[in-house]
Each structure stands twice: as C-alpha cells, then as structure tokens.
Amino acid sequence: MRIAVVTETYPPEINGVANTMRQLVSGLGERGHQVLLVRPRQASDRRARVPRGHFLVPGLPIPGYRGLRFGLPVYWRLRHLWLRLRPDVLYVATQGPLGHAALNAALGASIPVITGFHTQFHQYSRHYGLGLLTRPIVNTLKSFHNRSDATLVPTTTLRSQLNEAGFRNVHLFSRGVDTELFDPARRSDALRRQWGCGPDGIVALYVGRIAAEKNIDLALATMDALSADFDDVRCVLVGDGPEHARLARTHPRCRFVGAKVGEELAAHYASGDLFLFPSLTETFGNVVTEAMASGLAVNAFDYAAAHEHIRHASNGLLSPFGDNRAFLEQALAAAATPQRLRAMGAAARRTAASLSWPQVIATVEERLMEVLRESRATAAERKLGQSGPTPSRNGA
C-alpha cells in the first residue's frame, strides 16, 4: 500500500506520540509499504537533509511546549499532494490544524482515513484553568474522529470509554517497546555515583515532561518523603518542561538532569530502581513500558499502560486512580524492602520482553488494509448503483 502518515510531532521531538510515529513509519516501511510522512518543518531540518518520503509543511511553536510545533492548515497543499501521489489510505495521528486539514483534504478526494487518539486534550485542559472547556473539547474530538473510517486507541479501557462517549469504529493500536535499547544491562555505576548513590542504594526515577498535566507535584512530594525517610535514596528527574526551573529551585534535594534521548536515556532508566509515574492524563504512557524493559519496578495509578501490563506487587505497584496517599505509601513501602523492589524489576523486564513492536505494527497494517478493502467495496457498489442494471437485448 501507499500510506500517508500525518503527524504534528516527530523525532527528534521528545514525547510519546513522536516515538510511536517513528515506530509506525519505520515498521510499515519494513513491511514493504510506501510511506509518505507529512509533518511540520522542524529547526533540525535546516541543518540536515530531509529524508526521502518526508513532506514538510509550515508550523508554529506550541505555547508552553518548548521545541514542539503545530502544523498550519495547508488544505490546498495537501489536496494537491493527495492528487499527485494519491495514497491508498491515510493515518492522521494528531488533531491540530494540520490534522484537520489532512482529514478534510482526504475526504474531499475520497481517500479512506484512519485517525489515532494519542493525547487526552480534554484532560489537559483541567490543568491550565480551562476545565469548563472539557466537554466542548470532547465533542470536538468526537466530531473529528467520527468523520474518519476508524479510530485507533492504545488500550482496551480507553476504547470502552470512547465507545460510551459516542465515538464510532474504535479499535486497538497497542504499543511495543524497544527491549534492545531499554535493557538492564545499560545500568551505569558511574552515573549512579554522579547522583551520590552507592551500589546498595535506591534511585527513585521520574522520566517525562516537567509539567502540571503530568501530576509532577505528586512525584516531587513522593521524592521528598523518600529523601526524608531513607538516607540511601536518591531522587532523579529526567525531562524538561515549563515547570523545570521553578521546581528545581524549590526541590534542591532532587536532581533535575534535563531531557535525554537514545542510549543516554536508556542508561538513565537502567540506573534507577523505583520508577515513579504519577500522571493521570495518559492515553498510554510509553515511559511505563520503557522503565519495565529497563528492569525497574513501576509505581503508577491503575489505568492506561500500567493497567494493561502491571500485576500489583508482582512486577510493579498499582494504586487506585487518583489516590495520592496510596501512591506515596506504595513508594515508601517499596523503598523499605530493596530486595523485593529488585525482584519486581526483574519480573517487569520479563513482561516487557513480550511487547514486540513488529507484532503491534502488524495489527495496524491489518486495520489499514481492512479500511481500504471496505472503501473499495463501497466505491464499487456506488458505481454499480449509478450505472443501473444492464438492459437485455429484448428491452426487458
């Protein structure tokens, strides 16, 4: 198939959607499909040659999200692109201006479209003083996705929630994890020494945006409690975001090391022991499976990726959704029993070993082909209806 993937974020930008889109584009290409990637132009594109098959559109910075951009609604440019290099099917990953323009242009050209539900925008609104807009945002998202032929979501729980909210044709697009990159073997004693942690100490680790919508205050409250109760616990936060500078000043006992990627990120994961994931706004949470693959026990709320893959007290720790006290107490209890903590980390690695990206991409490929078959069948029926029955020789 010729498949167009439209996304407003892509590496080297650092977030879960960008990582998933990289896996989708490369995975479909490895399976023999021709993939056209449409995305906003990034600063790095001025310094490097644009890869073959990437079609760049103008973009603007997203307020409050340094380094991220949204694409402009270049409807006519996309309409001409679809006519010149007509794809068999589109996958639209984001619901920004570029995503809306891509959907409209595809529908205008009678090209089947699958949309991805990757971000809980309606949940984010509550963290930026826009709680009254939650329902209108949900309705806008529903209108967008219901115009497509199918919507893909990362968990069975989210699929049920969207079905109940009136979203149609919702299917599963799970997530894999790169177990060669994220591997306990990348544990670094030198890195742990930089953090002031000996071989028998415990590193409580957070990886993600340093931002309100990630419930970052709970991560830091938990780290403060761990530091107060245990002399051998060190607390490390990996990532960047709008709250970085302020929180680094107000929590001097925590180490804020900034954003990391690739093997450096993998070494930071593997050099931890307890992974804190307090977010309540995830559609999935790729960092959960990355931490599990790295051999860490994950402490998280019981939803999204954690609900899908963690068995409480076996390969990680789960707290009831939104129960901050339980989250904090789970972390303190885990730090008090290092041997149990590391046993859960080893079990987490075994769980992650079964989460294959090629298997996940195969399910997406199947859904794309199904939508394409249904579109062609509908077009054939419409053409037959327009032409009408063929008259017989005797005029009957």
Side-chain angles (χ1 to χ4, degrees):
M1 292 181 290
R2 176 180 283 171
I3 303 165
V5 174
V6 181
T7 176
E8 294 179 72
T9 183
Y10 198 77
E13 295 173 344
I14 303 172
N15 59 76
V17 181
N19 176 59
T20 300
M21 288 303 96
R22 177 177 62 84
Q23 295 288 349
L24 179 64
V25 169
S26 62
L28 290 172
E30 289 167 2
R31 297 181 73 84
H33 303 290
Q34 182 182 356
V35 183
L36 315 175
L37 175 65
V38 178
R39 61 173 176 84
R41 185 179 298 277
Q42 302 171 349
S44 59
D45 293 317
R46 294 193 294 268
R47 301 186 298 270
R49 185 176 180 180
V50 177
R52 182 180 178 85
H54 286 220
F55 295 86
L56 308 187
V57 303
L60 293 173
I62 299 177
Y65 280 72
R66 188 172 63 186
L68 298 184
R69 302 172 69 81
F70 64 86
L72 298 183
V74 287
Y75 172 87
W76 287 110
R77 183 179 298 190
L78 292 174
R79 182 67 182 269
H80 290 313
L81 179 63
W82 301 158
L83 294 175
R84 181 167 58 90
L85 298 173
R86 184 181 179 86
D88 295 308
V89 61
L90 258 69
Y91 181 81
V92 180
T94 49
Q95 294 80 52
L98 175 61
H100 277 268
L103 176 63
N104 291 335
L107 295 178
S110 299
I111 298 171
V113 184
I114 289 179
T115 52
F117 196 100
H118 290 270
T119 305
Q120 302 256 33
F121 290 110
H122 55 298
Q123 299 285 2
Y124 281 25
S125 65
R126 297 170 182 169
H127 296 276
Y128 291 94
L130 301 173
L132 293 175
L133 295 180
T134 299
R135 184 168 293 280
I137 291 172
V138 170
N139 291 336
T140 299
L141 291 172
K142 180 167 63 176
S143 174
F144 174 85
H145 287 282
N146 282 352
R147 295 175 65 211
S148 70
D149 296 277
T151 295
L152 304 189
V153 299
T155 68
T156 54
T157 300
L158 183 57
R159 179 176 61 187
S160 298
Q161 291 172 349
L162 294 187
N163 282 332
E164 291 174 4
F167 288 69
R168 297 192 294 269
N169 298 321
V170 182
H171 302 274
L172 194 63
F173 170 12
S174 188
R175 301 292 186 268
V177 64
D178 185 345
T179 54
E180 292 185 6
L181 176 61
F182 300 107
D183 188 330
R186 297 186 185 273
R187 191 175 181 90
S188 169
D189 291 337
L191 193 55
R192 288 171 63 86
R193 284 194 296 271
Q194 288 181 24
W195 299 336
C197 188
D200 297 324
I202 293 173
V203 172
L205 185 71
Y206 169 89
V207 176
R209 268 182 63 77
I210 312 298
E213 73 270 12
K214 297 297 184 181
N215 204 15
I216 191 68
D217 286 341
L218 177 58
L220 288 162
T222 304
M223 288 181 169
D224 287 344
L226 287 167
S227 297
D229 285 12
F230 301 96
D231 292 334
D232 60 349
V233 170
R234 299 294 180 267
C235 301
V236 179
L237 296 95
V238 180
D240 202 354
E243 296 292 301
H244 183 282
R246 180 182 69 83
L247 294 175
R249 289 194 303 270
T250 56
H251 296 269
R253 299 178 68 179
C254 297
R255 292 178 177 266
F256 290 74
V257 300
K260 307 295 178 183
V261 297
E263 293 184 359
E264 190 178 14
L265 172 61
H268 279 68
Y269 269 121
S271 300
D273 301 287
L274 172 63
F275 188 77
L276 302 178
F277 189 64
S279 176
L280 295 165
T281 58
E282 304 301 313
T283 53
F284 186 75
N286 289 339
V287 294
V288 169
T289 50
E290 291 171 357
M292 293 176 71
S294 302
L296 277 68
V298 175
N299 182 29
F301 290 113
D302 188 9
Y303 83 112
H307 177 79
E308 298 280 311
H309 299 301
I310 294 177
R311 301 182 305 280
H312 179 64
S314 174
N315 65 348
L317 300 165
L318 296 174
S319 298
F321 186 82
D323 189 337
N324 290 359
R325 178 178 292 276
F327 183 95
L328 191 151
E329 290 177 351
Q330 295 270 29
L332 292 173
T337 54
Q339 186 174 359
R340 172 173 170 262
L341 181 65
R342 294 188 171 103
M344 287 191 291
R349 169 66 185 183
R350 292 192 293 271
T351 299
S354 66
L355 304 179
S356 159
W357 268 116
Q359 183 177 346
V360 169
I361 299 303
T363 65
V364 179
E365 176 191 53
E366 182 180 343
R367 186 62 55 194
L368 290 164
M369 295 181 75
E370 180 179 339
V371 165
L372 178 58
R373 286 194 297 267
E374 291 174 351
S375 174
R376 287 175 172 171
T378 300
E381 291 174 2
R382 187 181 300 116
K383 185 176 181 179
L384 181 62
Q386 290 173 347
S387 61
T390 302
S392 65
R393 290 183 180 273
N394 61 10

